[in-house]
Amino acid sequence: MATEVDTWSTAPQHDGVFSFEDELGELDGEEDMLNDGEVNGNWTPQEKALHEARLKAKAKRRLRKSSSRDSTRESLSESLSGDPGADPNSPKGKVNTHDRKSRTGKGRGLPKKGGAGGKGVWGAAGMVYEMEEPDVKDPNYDESAQGDTVYETVVPELEEGELEKTVNPIVQEYFEHGDTKEVEMLLKELNLGPHKFEFSSLAVSLALEGKASHRELTSRLLSDLTGKILSESDVARAFDKMLKELPDLILDTPEAPQMLGQFVARAIADHALPMNFLNRYKGKVDCEHARAALDRASVLLSMKREIVRLDNVWGVGGGQRPVRHLIKEMNLLLKEYLVSGDLSEAEHCLRDLEVPHFHHELVYEAVVMVLESKGDTAVRMMVKLLQAFWKTGLITLDQMNRGFQRVYDELPEINLDVPHAHSIMESFVDLCYQESVITKQLRDACPSRGRKRFVSEGDGGVIKS
C-alpha cells in the first residue's frame, strides 16, 4: 500500500489534473505495442477494427485541440491589444456574437444571399414585389376573404345514344304548345356538342310521321332557331344526312321524298339553308329518292320565286280554315262512311282536319243525316261511328252534348221537312243511350211531342189525347 502511494506522489501533476500529453504518450505506447502484435501476426479481425477506430478518434482529438488553441490565442491577443469590443469571457473567445464571420476558414464572411435570403428578411435592395394569386392549397387560404365567389355549372356533353331520348320529348311537347322560345330555352340548358346538327334531323323525322300541322311547326322551329342555337351549316348537315337516309324513311313514310323536298324549299325560303344548297347536288346524286326530293324543292322555289316565304307549302292549319270548308269536309266524311263503312278511314280523316274544338259539328251532321235517311241501316251505322269516336276519345263529352243539344234546339224546324223527326229522334237517342254513347241526362233532355188521335168520324172530329 505504501508503495502505491509513493508511486502516485511521484507522478507529474498540474493543479490536481493529469496532463493530456501524458495520456497521449500512453496511447502512443499502446499503439507501439499493437503494432508489434500486428507484426507478429497475432491480430484478430475484431482487434484490427478496434485499432482503426482508435486511430480515427485520435485524429479528431488532435484537430479539435489545435483549433481550440488557435481561437484562444486570437481572443487573448485581441483582449491584450485593448479592443473595447473584445470580451475575454465570451465562449471560444468570440468578440461579437451577432457577426456573420465564417469560423470554418471558408468564404468571405458576407451575409447569406446578399441579405436577401433567410427567414423574416425583406429581400435584396431594389426588389419590387408583385401581387401574388392566393393558393387554394395553402392551409391559410380563406375562401370568404377572396371576394365574391362565382360558381359555374358544368353540363356534361350528351352522348349520341342519349341525344334521341332527350330531344324526342322536347319536340313532341313542342307539337302541342307550338312555343319556339321554350324549345330554345331547353336546348340552351343542354350540351349538344358536335351532335348539334342531329336535332334538326330528329325534328324533321318526327314531323314526317306526324300531321301537316306538325310539319308546319317544324319549319317554323328551324327558321326561329337558325342564328340562335343552330347555324346554316348545322341545318345543311342535317338535310344531307336525311337525303342519304331516304331509302329507310320511305319504309315508314312513302311520301318522304316529296315531303323532304318541301322541307328543303321552305328552309331555303326562310334562310335556314344557304341559297346554294341545291347547287351542291347537281350531277352528284345517284339515289332516285334523293333526286325526287331535290327536284320537288327546285320546282317549289321556281314557282314561288317572287314570294319571300313559302307559308302555304304545308297547307292551311285546321284552326285557320273557313267554317264552311270544315262543314263540307265533315259532310263528305260521313257520306263516304255510309258508303264504305270503314271506321278507321273515317277516324283518320277526322284527325287530319285537326279541329278538336269543332267536333260537335260532326255529331250534329251525323244526327241530322239519320233524321233525313230512310231505313234502319243509317241509324245503326251512325250509332256505331259515334260509339267508336266516343271510346277513342276523339269526341269528348262536351262535344257530344253540344252536338245533340243543337239538334234538340232545331228539331221544330227539321220537323217541317221531316214529319216523323220526333219519333226517329226518340228511337235514335234511346239506342245511343243503350250503347253508352250519351248520358242519361242527355237522353232525358230530348224533346217529345204528345201523341194525338181521332176517335172516329162520328165524333165530329173531336181530338182525344
Side-chain angles (χ1 to χ4, degrees):
M1 185 66 180
T3 305
E4 293 179 359
V5 172
D6 295 338
T7 305
W8 291 349
S9 59
T10 57
Q13 298 180 2
H14 300 280
D15 298 333
V17 179
F18 290 102
S19 175
F20 186 75
E21 286 80 357
D22 297 337
E23 183 180 357
L24 290 177
E26 294 177 0
L27 291 174
D28 293 338
E30 293 179 0
E31 183 178 357
D32 294 337
M33 293 174 63
L34 291 174
N35 290 334
D36 294 338
E38 184 179 5
V39 172
N40 296 332
N42 296 328
W43 274 20
T44 62
Q46 291 81 2
E47 292 176 347
K48 187 176 181 180
L50 180 61
H51 175 63
E52 292 177 355
R54 287 177 177 175
L55 291 179
K56 291 180 181 179
K58 181 179 178 182
K60 290 182 180 179
R61 285 195 297 270
R62 286 178 178 176
L63 179 61
R64 286 198 297 267
K65 182 177 179 181
S66 61
S67 61
S68 61
R69 286 178 179 175
D70 296 338
S71 61
T72 304
R73 290 194 189 97
E74 291 176 0
S75 61
L76 290 175
S77 62
E78 291 176 357
S79 60
L80 292 175
S81 63
D83 189 359
D87 186 9
N89 298 323
S90 62
K92 296 186 180 180
K94 289 185 178 180
V95 178
N96 188 0
T97 58
H98 299 288
D99 63 351
R100 294 177 177 271
K101 185 176 181 181
S102 175
R103 303 303 177 189
T104 61
K106 297 181 181 179
R108 297 175 295 167
L110 299 177
K112 184 178 180 182
K113 296 184 180 179
K119 184 178 180 181
V121 297
W122 287 98
M127 181 180 293
V128 179
Y129 294 95
E130 298 178 356
M131 181 61 99
E132 295 183 359
E133 293 293 334
D135 187 7
V136 180
K137 298 181 180 180
D138 189 352
N140 298 324
Y141 177 79
D142 186 7
E143 184 178 359
S144 60
Q146 306 305 322
D148 297 335
T149 303
V150 180
Y151 296 95
E152 182 178 356
T153 303
V154 179
V155 181
E157 181 180 320
L158 282 178
E159 297 181 359
E160 187 174 0
E162 298 178 355
L163 181 64
E164 184 175 356
K165 296 180 182 179
T166 306
V167 169
N168 281 357
I170 297 176
V171 178
Q172 293 289 356
E173 186 178 355
Y174 167 70
F175 288 159
E176 299 296 331
H177 57 71
D179 189 358
T180 57
K181 292 184 179 180
E182 183 175 350
V183 178
E184 179 183 351
M185 180 184 65
L186 293 175
L187 291 180
K188 285 182 178 180
E189 297 176 356
L190 300 177
N191 186 5
L192 300 179
H195 307 290
K196 186 188 302 184
F197 73 97
E198 294 190 8
F199 171 80
S200 303
S201 60
L202 289 173
V204 174
S205 299
L206 292 175
L208 291 178
E209 300 174 358
K211 298 178 288 188
S213 61
H214 295 168
R215 294 187 279 274
E216 174 65 23
L217 289 172
T218 304
S219 295
R220 293 181 185 178
L221 181 64
L222 295 180
S223 176
D224 292 344
L225 293 182
T226 302
K228 299 177 181 178
I229 302 296
L230 305 173
S231 62
E232 290 187 358
S233 59
D234 293 331
V235 180
R237 190 176 175 186
F239 279 105
D240 288 338
K241 178 182 177 182
M242 298 200 68
L243 287 172
K244 296 176 182 178
E245 295 177 352
L246 267 178
D248 297 331
L249 295 176
I250 290 177
L251 300 177
D252 297 328
T253 309
E255 300 85 4
Q258 290 74 21
M259 292 183 181
L260 189 59
Q262 293 176 202
F263 267 115
V264 172
R266 177 67 178 272
I268 293 176
D270 293 346
H271 303 287
L273 278 177
M275 299 300 294
N276 61 346
F277 180 78
L278 296 178
N279 297 332
R280 302 176 185 176
Y281 293 94
K282 286 186 177 180
K284 300 179 181 179
V285 181
D286 297 331
C287 179
E288 57 179 352
H289 304 298
R291 282 200 302 268
L294 296 173
D295 291 343
R296 175 67 173 167
S298 179
V299 169
L300 290 174
L301 289 173
S302 62
M303 292 173 58
K304 301 290 183 178
R305 184 170 297 175
E306 298 179 359
I307 301 178
V308 179
R309 295 170 62 96
L310 297 174
D311 290 332
N312 297 329
V313 69
W314 302 115
V316 182
Q320 301 176 1
R321 297 179 184 179
V323 175
R324 292 182 180 179
H325 175 75
L326 293 175
I327 294 174
K328 183 178 178 181
E329 290 290 334
M330 289 185 178
N331 270 319
L332 182 61
L333 182 155
L334 293 173
K335 289 179 181 179
E336 290 180 354
Y337 167 69
L338 290 177
V339 174
S340 63
D342 191 352
L343 284 172
S344 60
E345 181 65 22
E347 181 180 352
H348 178 71
C349 294
L350 183 60
R351 291 184 184 274
D352 285 345
L353 292 177
E354 300 182 39
V355 283
H357 61 281
F358 202 61
H359 285 177
H360 62 86
E361 179 67 25
L362 178 72
V363 179
Y364 171 80
E365 295 293 339
V367 176
V368 172
M369 198 170 291
V370 168
L371 297 178
E372 295 176 353
S373 64
K374 296 179 181 179
D376 297 336
T377 304
V379 175
R380 292 194 301 270
M381 292 185 68
M382 287 302 176
V383 170
K384 186 178 179 181
L385 179 68
L386 294 178
Q387 184 184 21
F389 288 169
W390 170 259
K391 289 182 178 179
T392 57
L394 195 57
I395 297 179
T396 61
L397 177 63
D398 178 66
Q399 298 292 319
M400 189 73 73
N401 292 341
R402 289 181 61 184
F404 273 90
Q405 193 62 47
R406 286 178 58 191
V407 178
Y408 293 165
D409 297 338
E410 298 179 8
L411 195 57
E413 299 179 3
I414 297 175
N415 191 55
L416 298 178
D417 298 329
V418 184
H420 303 286
H422 281 86
S423 59
I424 298 174
M425 188 68 189
E426 290 178 1
S427 60
F428 181 72
V429 168
D430 290 338
L431 186 59
C432 289
Y433 175 72
Q434 293 174 6
E435 297 294 335
S436 301
V437 176
I438 62 175
T439 61
K440 185 176 184 297
Q441 292 80 5
L442 187 59
R443 185 200 65 175
D444 297 340
C446 179
S448 61
R449 187 176 66 174
R451 296 180 181 180
K452 299 179 180 179
R453 64 181 181 85
F454 292 96
V455 177
S456 65
E457 296 178 357
D459 294 335
V462 179
I463 299 176
K464 293 184 179 181
S465 58

